[in-house]
Amino acid sequence: MKEIIIFFPIALLYAALKGTLFASIPLPDVPLLMVFYAAYRRPSVEGVLLAFVLGYMEDVLGGGIIGSASFALIAVFLAAHLLAKKVQFSTRGTRAGGAFAAVLIKGALVYTVIRLSNLTAHILTDVLIQAVVTAVFAPAILTLTARLALRLAPAPWKGDAS
Amino acid sequence: MRISERKLSAFFKKHHTIFVSVALALYSLHLALTYQKDVPRGYIVRETLSVMVTPVERLILAVRGGAVGAWSRYVFLVGLTDENAELQRRILELQDENNRLKEEAASGRRLKDIFEYADAAPFNATAASVTAYGAGLWSRTVTINKGAAAGMDKDLAVITSSGVVGRVIEAGTRSSTVLLATDVRSAIDVFVERSRTKGVVEGNGEDGLILKYIRLDDDVSVGDRILTSGIAGVFPKGLVVGEVVRIEKSKDNFFKYIEVRPAANLATVEDVIVVTDTGFHSND
């Protein structure tokens, strides 16, 4: 549980940095990577709650439609969790590819929620840029996340041997 | 009966992560799809997060200011010989002072503009500073350093001396969230200054605005200024929203598709005026 709780202050720091120093620079979607990590390494109820909380936080701090990001992140968690039964996210390529797909899934779901709310959005380019940036940084961030989780929870998680 | 109950229990235990995921996803979807209903939501969470994040954001901005100064001094100092070290240091001090004075002058000019505008405006207003830009990919918001304790409230108009910025959507105790005019959820009743044609300006979700409900035979040209009509009651009448930059025929063959460039630079706005009066209703 504590390895999940440690993600929360990291996500808060990420939100503060993104809102100030890096307001106009595309950053990798760190909360999404945390959820992705929790889904393929630790598919548990704590992971689902993490997805909900990080999504809710993103909606609140980003001024977005409350519920949209949490809905999308839970769906990403579920998709990664089910996919992890077939695919081992153990190489750089699969992690980058998985992160790329996860950003696209999140983007498509938030877009759908916006459209269902009778609003219009045209930011496909932004989603693609975010997906590329997240995919590039995903292997490094996921490795760091794994090391951090391992320090906090010495019990091996699924795929720790990789 | 017991066997089937046991089976059901085992099935739930085996797939409980999926069940919880689906339940929470549906709850989130419910929150999102009922968002526009006028129900205050997540106030405690918002307040808690605001209390946690705002000091960090202020610290980051302060550290950035200090680091930029220290770095510029360090870069200039590297490689200096002993003979001219003192002179160079003096030059640096003067440059530093000059930069600081320039920044203070710029800040002073901005604040002077803001206060002059606020004083001359026919409505009550208060100045505020932007402390953070919205981190969401799908939303355009900023956080300002004044909240309910300073009289902020939902749906107060936020402007600069250049034009409309947006409106307050959430007022916390010490900070507020402003929905920028460029957000897809923003809709402002406007009219074209030259021809008095009325329409609605909506955000395009990026850095621009779209003027909607202008019929093909309505008189609008590139370069026309768009002003607030004051009809909806949020914005006073006559504030500059932007300038028409592109006109096309829309797909429905009934309305024009008109792009508007915001008058205020919403991507870099630092100081704003919050109109504390409410209930502007034009009779036009």
Side-chain angles (χ1 to χ4, degrees), chain B residues 78-111:
Chain B
V78 168
L80 289 182
T81 61
D82 290 340
E83 291 94 42
N84 64 8
E86 184 55 34
L87 282 172
Q88 289 289 344
R89 196 177 59 79
R90 184 68 189 137
I91 288 169
L92 280 174
E93 279 174 6
L94 290 170
Q95 280 177 338
D96 207 27
E97 191 179 353
N98 193 27
N99 287 340
R100 189 174 50 79
L101 289 172
K102 272 184 187 168
E103 178 53 33
E104 276 179 12
S107 176
R109 272 197 300 276
R110 278 202 313 270
L111 290 173

Side-chain angles (χ1 to χ4, degrees), chain B residues 15-27:
Chain B
H15 301 289
H16 69 290
T17 306
I18 293 173
F19 283 120
V20 175
S21 298
V22 171
L24 268 178
L26 289 175
Y27 175 65

Side-chain angles (χ1 to χ4, degrees), chain B residues 136-184:
Chain B
L137 193 62
W138 303 88
S139 57
R140 293 288 182 272
T141 59
V142 292
T143 306
I144 57 172
N145 65 344
K146 289 198 175 164
M152 298 298 104
D153 203 355
K154 196 181 172 194
D155 283 338
L156 290 183
V158 181
I159 59 178
T160 67
S161 52
S162 310
V164 167
V165 171
R167 64 184 165 87
V168 175
I169 51 167
E170 293 287 345
T173 310
R174 301 198 180 281
S175 64
S176 301
T177 306
V178 176
L179 185 77
L180 297 180
T182 47
D183 189 285
V184 293

Side-chain angles (χ1 to χ4, degrees), chain A residues 12 18-21 45 48 52 56-57 62-67 70-71 74 78 107 110 113-114 119-120 122-123 127, chain B residues 16 21 24-25 28 31-33 35-36 42 46 49 52-53 56 60 64 132-133 135 137-139 141 184-185 206:
Chain A
L12 272 180
K18 202 173 173 190
T20 50
L21 286 186
V45 173
V48 186
F52 179 76
Y56 201 94
M57 208 172 81
I65 296 175
I66 302 244
S70 49
F71 168 66
I74 292 169
L78 202 53
V110 175
V113 170
I114 290 174
L119 298 166
T120 317
H122 320 268
I123 53 170
V127 174
Chain B
H16 69 290
S21 298
L24 268 178
S28 300
L31 287 178
L33 296 181
Y35 176 74
Q36 286 177 322
R46 193 181 302 277
L49 288 175
M52 291 159 84
V53 171
V56 181
I60 289 169
R64 180 179 65 174
Y133 296 86
L137 193 62
W138 303 88
S139 57
T141 59
V184 293
R185 291 166 288 170
E206 294 178 276

